[in-house]
Amino acid sequence: MYVPKESQPKQGGGAAKARDGEKGGKRKIVAQNKKARHDYAIVDTYEAGLVLTGTEVKSLREGRTSLTDGFVQIDRGEAWLHNAHIPEYHQGSWTNHSARRKRKLLLHREEIDKLESKAQETGHTIVPLALYFRDGRAKAEIALARGKKEYDKRQTLREKQDRRESDRAIAAAKRRQRGV
């Protein structure tokens, strides 16, 4: 019996997108900025596209990127990612890029205006949290953040440690119950 292609169940991509739960499919994370989550209280997050050269994309796919010193600056209505280290592509030739050049971020006008007005408030900055690929396109997760004081950082570490200890105690109690 002949079954037209349109009525046959689809294989592959659609199921992965449905499982991920996010609009646009799966994320393949290339780099994360864990230091930013430690040093800043995250107020709001945004997803931005990146304007990259070919060798930068190839280098990103190898996964040797660092966002530790990176920051976002808004200049004349455009968002720019500064100090993100994307190393030179080892098989590149004279077309290779410089490792720490500034890269343009692609955001909607309303998002740029909102980020610019909030970043001008005292204590607020815009930091990159992650670089990843979504559906083959390089994206950056950026955040509007407020700097933490030293005692806030210690408090966060203490809460994290307390949470770990309580999880360990609960797991040990469950193991004892199973053993008895």
Side-chain angles (χ1 to χ4, degrees):
M1 179 173 130
Y2 173 75
V3 178
K5 264 191 168 177
E6 296 84 35
S7 64
Q8 292 177 356
K10 290 188 177 183
Q11 308 261 329
K17 288 181 183 179
R19 275 193 308 267
D20 191 47
E22 291 185 30
K23 185 177 95 175
K26 283 215 169 252
R27 294 182 356 164
K28 181 187 172 225
I29 295 180
V30 177
Q32 284 187 324
N33 189 357
K34 294 180 182 177
K35 187 177 177 185
R37 293 196 186 271
H38 178 263
D39 292 342
Y40 299 99
I42 305 303
V43 177
D44 201 5
T45 61
Y46 298 89
E47 180 181 64
L50 282 165
V51 177
L52 300 173
T53 63
T55 55
E56 286 175 322
V57 174
K58 290 178 180 184
S59 185
L60 271 179
R61 290 195 189 280
E62 289 179 348
R64 300 176 303 135
T65 296
S66 173
L67 291 174
T68 305
D69 298 328
F71 64 95
V72 176
Q73 192 172 35
I74 298 186
D75 183 30
R76 287 184 251 135
E78 295 179 337
W80 295 90
L81 176 63
H82 293 268
N83 276 355
H85 185 265
I86 299 176
E88 290 185 354
Y89 183 57
H90 67 276
Q91 293 178 345
S93 59
W94 57 273
T95 60
N96 238 337
H97 62 281
S98 62
R100 289 207 181 261
R101 74 176 189 91
K102 67 178 189 176
R103 294 162 179 93
K104 188 174 181 180
L105 294 173
L106 304 173
L107 290 161
H108 291 285
R109 170 64 42 213
E110 304 85 44
E111 292 175 333
I112 292 174
D113 293 341
K114 183 178 178 183
L115 279 170
E116 187 173 23
S117 66
K118 294 281 188 173
Q120 289 174 353
E121 294 177 12
T122 307
H124 285 83
T125 187
I126 309 167
V127 293
L129 296 179
L131 286 179
Y132 55 90
F133 285 98
R134 172 171 286 158
D135 296 331
R137 298 186 189 274
K139 304 283 185 179
E141 183 180 16
I142 61 173
L144 179 66
R146 185 174 47 252
K148 284 185 183 177
K149 303 284 187 206
E150 195 63 37
Y151 58 83
D152 289 334
K153 293 177 192 177
R154 284 194 299 264
Q155 179 66 27
T156 304
L157 288 174
R158 194 174 303 119
E159 289 171 1
K160 195 175 193 181
Q161 184 177 1
D162 291 344
R163 202 173 319 117
R164 265 195 216 126
E165 288 176 3
S166 68
D167 289 345
R168 283 186 191 133
I170 290 170
K174 285 182 180 179
R175 279 194 302 272
R176 280 193 301 265
Q177 283 179 349
R178 279 187 273 150
V180 173

